[in-house]
Amino acid sequence: MNKIYLMLLVLVIPITTYGQTLHLYGGDNHKEYLGCLNCNSYDSDSIWNAYGTYGNSYNSNSIWNAYGTYGNEYNSYSPWNAYASDPPVVVDKDGSFYGYFAVNAYKAKRADFSLALTIYKYHKEIREDVGAWYDEIFD
């Protein structure tokens, strides 16, 4: 991984994502909570907590579960499906919409802040070691 790129991320990501705590919701009418996008790795709701519900690659509601609804690259509700018809949404605690969380660069209203773009690019690698990636991105 390019260290210069990661250093730039460390400088840019806090500016664009730390102002609000961002959450993922997916499924039918986006009613299923999928975790906190920018919470620390100790937060039980964080997608970065490998031992928590949403960061655990074995949990059915985790975006990191390659066989689950939200982590399977062929499921229409998954952010990793390049043709997903209904990927998860990113919202803050007040319900303000930050975009669709989707690898599909052509998805209208796609979340395009730095953290989201980094996750899209490296999602397969992140899935292998969520905790290490949290440290690389946020520390």
Side-chain angles (χ1 to χ4, degrees):
M1 187 175 339
N2 186 338
K3 290 290 184 185
I4 293 173
Y5 180 70
L6 281 177
M7 291 177 77
L8 289 173
L9 287 176
V10 170
L11 296 174
V12 174
I13 287 174
I15 295 168
T16 60
T17 60
Y18 286 177
Q20 293 289 333
T21 301
L22 301 176
H23 302 275
L24 294 174
Y25 285 86
D28 192 30
N29 294 315
H30 302 106
K31 292 182 181 179
E32 189 69 43
Y33 184 64
L34 303 178
C36 178
L37 190 61
N38 60 340
C39 291
N40 73 52
S41 62
Y42 297 104
D43 189 309
S44 61
D45 287 340
S46 178
I47 66 164
W48 303 104
N49 182 343
Y51 303 103
T53 301
Y54 307 103
N56 185 322
S57 64
Y58 297 104
N59 188 287
S60 61
N61 284 351
S62 174
I63 62 170
W64 307 124
N65 182 344
Y67 304 103
T69 300
Y70 306 103
N72 184 321
E73 67 183 79
Y74 301 107
N75 191 291
S76 64
Y77 291 136
S78 174
W80 318 134
N81 180 340
Y83 306 103
S85 58
D86 202 12
V89 294
V90 180
V91 297
D92 64 20
K93 67 178 178 136
D94 298 321
S96 296
F97 179 75
Y98 286 76
Y100 289 98
F101 191 68
V103 294
N104 180 356
Y106 301 105
K107 175 72 178 162
K109 300 179 184 175
R110 176 187 187 217
D112 63 357
F113 49 87
S114 298
L115 176 58
L117 295 173
T118 300
I119 295 171
Y120 302 152
K121 183 173 183 177
Y122 297 107
H123 71 276
K124 290 179 183 177
E125 292 87 350
I126 294 171
R127 176 182 286 148
E128 300 301 318
D129 193 346
V130 172
W133 274 87
Y134 174 83
D135 292 342
E136 286 289 333
I137 293 172
F138 292 97
D139 286 343

